[in-house]
Amino acid sequence: MDCLFCKIVAGEIPAKKIYEDEHVVAFHDIAGQAPVHFLVIPKKHISLLTDLSVDDTFLAGHILYTAQRLAKEQGCAEGFRVVMNTNDMGGQTVYHIHMHVLGQRQMSWPPG
Ligand code: AMP
Ligand code: ZN
């Protein structure tokens, strides 16, 4: 499958990985939008958040659990933002679900 993030999971494309287990991989975003900006992705290919099935609920929780644990490790205990851009109107550009974690700068609202 021609999926950029599946290639990162497979090690076919390099990434600055910060964590990996049997379910997820986390790596620094190549175009960081904050001093800390990393992505948490499932190893399983899921294109869209709206493709989640009930069988994926552990995985979805594990992505969120991993995101907050790594955010603390990366020095963001005082606050950070998680984002999952979903589909075209949501600004998604890579169609393999991923949770952005951004921190170490003051966030504003609303996002663009
Ligand atoms: P989204 O626009 O929400 O789909 O986010 C995709 C993110 O993947 C963007 O923030 C990109 O900067 C990031 N990205 C694209 N290619 C790579 C790569 N090879 N390694 C790390 N991050 C990437
Ligand atoms: Zn994929």
Side-chain angles (χ1 to χ4, degrees), residues 1 3-10 20-25 40-49 51-60 62-63 84 95-98:
M1 190 187 307
C3 170
L4 178 66
F5 286 176
C6 282
K7 288 178 181 165
I8 287 177
V9 170
E20 179 167 8
D21 64 25
E22 64 181 305
H23 303 293
V24 299
V25 181
V40 184
I41 72 169
K43 287 189 167 176
K44 173 184 175 182
H45 180 86
I46 300 170
S47 298
L48 290 159
L49 192 56
D51 290 335
L52 275 189
S53 78
V54 71
D55 293 337
D56 296 319
T57 54
F58 169 82
L59 185 57
H62 190 58
I63 291 168
M84 292 186 86
Y95 283 78
H96 176 132
I97 63 168
H98 48 279

